[in-house]
Amino acid sequence: MDRELVERAQHGDRDAYETLARESARRLFLVCQRILRDADQAEDAAQRALVEMWRDLPGLRDPDRFEAWTYRLAVRCSLAEARRERRFHATVGTVGVLPNDPAGDPDPFAALVDRDALEEAFRELTPEHRAVVVLRFFVGLSLDEIAGVVAAPVGTVSSRLHYALRSMRRTLAADEPPALINTRLPA
Amino acid sequence: MNATTDFERSLAAWLERAGPDAVPERVVEAALAEARTVRQRPAWLTSSWWASLVFRASREGEAMRPSRTIERVPTIPVIRPPLRLGWIAVAGAALLALLGGLLAAGALQNREAPLLSECPAGTTPNEPGPVDQERPPQEISRAVWDGNRGLIVVADDWTWRFDVCTNTWSKFRTEGSGAFGALVYDADSGLVVSLDPYVWTFDPADGRSEFVGNTSSWLHRALVAAYDPVTGLVVASDLGYSPRTVATDTHSSLWTYDVDTDTWAEIDQGEPAPPRDGYGSLMEFDRSADRLVVWQQPQGYFTGVGAGGLQPADTWEFDLRARRWTQVSVRAPVVEFGWFGANSDAIVYDDANERTIVFADGLVAAYDAAADEWEIAFQDESTDGLGYGRYSRLALGYDPLNDRLVVVGGTRRTADPSTGEFLGWAAMDDVVAFDLRTRTWTELLAPSN
């Protein structure tokens, strides 16, 4: 991201902001839609994030952190959208649900886990947990970077991520035939 | 890519395709149109600016990431906006606080609480909790942070949680858990792990406990344990297992424990030889040094109350990456733990001030690993039994939301107020906190009697 462009936008240059907004829009929209799993909500959240980008840009002390800072806006607006609509418990099939994209190259990992099952397991996560999963496995941020985005200790981020993955695994396992469980009783 | 397992790779691949790949143009145009009607906020009106004003400057080392690198007593920067804007600043701060409180209140309704870096607005961490609330039995000995806003204490068949933002207790049924085993918060799994004599986990998110298995048969007793944030594993040792009055040439063992797979692995401690077994050992992971810090009473050490002959303790550091012990050049301050010897819970890591803290009987000793120095941060000089001297059966934890030590219960000496004559011991059920930066104590919950 062009540091000078950010600095100009910080000082009220609307043309600079428009350039930044157009360059960032796709990136932020994709994050919002992965978190919310609802097209209408994702559009609203992304639009809000872009507006807040203009409004709050003067408060960004380090222009080099612009990209990470916009992720924070996207996550914050997504969580706000989720709280307002309270539709993150919606079941698969709700109007506006984004379909998986069937086009594209063969996915070598697609066969490992059924996509519908992943969708269901992902939807059972809270928006906060989804955000951490998206930042980690879709955006590709490190735990340190995610901690900066969500303003929390790295340990907390790590535990939330672990909890989210464990929860998804359990949901997926629940759909599998039950296996024998070996238990040990206290001596 | 961050995915390291097949499941994570599947998840990443699914996320990549889980929706359209482009943003609708109408979203961008609508945002630009709306932005034309919106004024930019001046820098001093944005939350990040006020965060740097209200909170310690060293917590905003970067634009957004919380900083843990405090090398000196932090100071709050004094920022004086122009006089004509003073009232606008006050009104803006009040409005932001109100909005923050509303958002926080909404967030608290969600069982899966948002990630916290401070107590939510509207809570009262510095005001004592209700004195008539139910609380754990006296003489507990373990406390650990639960990763959110509570200190976990285990007593008999119950797990108790002290909310450091409201100073209130809540409890959960945990039958058969080890009340005196080492307690560790495993951030990787989000579980509180109890290690002695069995492995139990407690999930702060839903209050459920689970028996996992036995401790390693090679580990005599997991009396001390710490969490290694680098590997995400619990590190446990039987340091301090040997009888306290007997010198021994045996060495302690050191193990890692993975709570997810219930797997123990012994650590090769290399050369030089690790500390010998000795009663009264404390161990904690010091993040500033990336080392285990061990405080250990000397071999054959024994002290009764007032017995005299107190000896300085040894300080050891273990480099988990290089697998190497080092005996630190300085001796630790004299700390008297009384008849029961060192309570293996009497050590915590103060993240805000980057110090490993040992607490006993009203003495707070802080270890600066970078400087190899111990400092007496506080020493209770009271003789009327009303100070902060606590022996045995206290639980010590660290509250990262309010950056202070929390002492639960313990046994306090009582004295005649008029003569100072020692009268005996009283088991306490109160909760007090110590701020290393300001060197002050705060009562979080008054005694019930």
Side-chain angles (χ1 to χ4, degrees), chain B residues 221-405:
Chain B
R221 292 187 66 186
L223 288 179
V224 295
Y227 174 72
D228 177 5
V230 175
T231 61
L233 298 174
V234 173
V235 181
S237 174
D238 49 13
L239 273 169
Y241 176 67
S242 296
R244 60 186 177 189
T245 58
V246 178
T248 173
D249 287 332
T250 60
H251 295 281
S252 56
S253 61
L254 198 62
W255 296 73
T256 62
Y257 177 67
D258 186 337
V259 68
D260 287 333
T261 60
D262 188 25
T263 304
W264 291 88
E266 186 168 9
I267 297 174
D268 177 5
Q269 301 180 68
E271 297 292 338
R276 291 194 178 90
D277 280 339
Y279 195 82
S281 296
L282 310 175
M283 185 176 82
E284 183 55 273
F285 182 82
D286 188 310
R287 290 174 190 257
S288 66
D290 190 25
R291 300 272 196 282
L292 291 175
V293 170
V294 169
W295 179 98
Q296 187 179 61
Q297 289 172 328
Q299 280 190 303
Y301 173 74
F302 172 76
T303 182
V305 174
L310 299 173
Q311 304 177 45
D314 292 323
T315 309
W316 291 77
E317 291 182 1
F318 185 70
D319 185 335
L320 284 162
R321 323 305 161 208
R323 305 294 172 95
R324 182 181 178 83
W325 281 101
T326 303
Q327 185 167 9
V328 177
S329 58
V330 299
R331 306 299 294 277
V334 173
V335 179
E336 180 167 2
F337 284 97
W339 290 101
F340 295 97
N343 181 338
S344 62
D345 189 52
I347 188 169
V348 291
Y349 179 70
D350 183 328
D351 203 21
N353 296 291
E354 294 188 324
R355 297 288 188 273
T356 295
I357 308 294
V358 170
F359 172 78
D361 193 26
L363 185 142
V364 179
Y367 178 62
D368 181 349
D372 284 346
E373 290 179 354
W374 281 93
E375 174 195 19
I376 304 292
F378 178 86
Q379 188 155 18
D380 182 37
E381 304 287 351
S382 65
T383 58
D384 58 2
L386 299 179
Y388 296 99
R390 303 293 167 95
Y391 281 91
S392 70
R393 296 294 183 263
L394 62 88
L396 179 69
Y398 179 71
D399 167 13
L401 296 188
N402 300 292
D403 294 336
R404 55 195 182 189
L405 314 181

Side-chain angles (χ1 to χ4, degrees), chain A residues 9 14 22 26 33-34 37 43 47 54-55 59 101 103 105 107 109 126 136 141 159-160 162 184, chain B residues 2 9 13 15-18 20-21 25-26 29 35 38 40-41 48 112 115 187-188 211 260 262:
Chain A
R14 288 189 179 271
R22 292 189 182 280
R26 174 183 174 275
Q33 67 175 201
R34 265 66 177 173
R37 308 304 298 138
E43 291 187 12
Q47 180 180 333
W54 164 252
R55 187 191 64 190
D101 180 7
D105 296 334
D107 179 0
F109 298 110
T126 65
R136 179 71 169 165
L141 299 184
S159 71
R160 290 296 169 180
H162 181 96
R184 285 184 290 172
Chain B
N2 293 317
R9 282 186 281 272
L15 283 170
E16 193 64 36
R17 298 168 184 273
D21 196 45
E25 186 61 24
R26 63 177 177 276
E29 295 304 327
V38 173
Q40 286 189 314
R41 284 179 179 171
S48 61
E112 301 298 338
L115 309 176
D188 186 43
F211 171 77
D260 287 333
D262 188 25

Side-chain angles (χ1 to χ4, degrees), chain B residues 64-87:
Chain B
M64 297 181 304
R65 181 187 303 184
S67 169
R68 299 296 186 187
T69 56
I70 300 175
E71 295 183 355
R72 294 285 184 267
V73 175
T75 57
I76 299 174
V78 178
I79 302 176
R80 299 184 176 85
L83 183 60
R84 63 179 180 278
L85 298 175
W87 285 112

Side-chain angles (χ1 to χ4, degrees), chain B residues 401-418:
Chain B
L401 296 188
N402 300 292
D403 294 336
R404 55 195 182 189
L405 314 181
V406 178
V407 178
V408 180
T411 306
R412 191 175 75 186
R413 58 168 62 87
T414 60
D416 186 312
S418 57

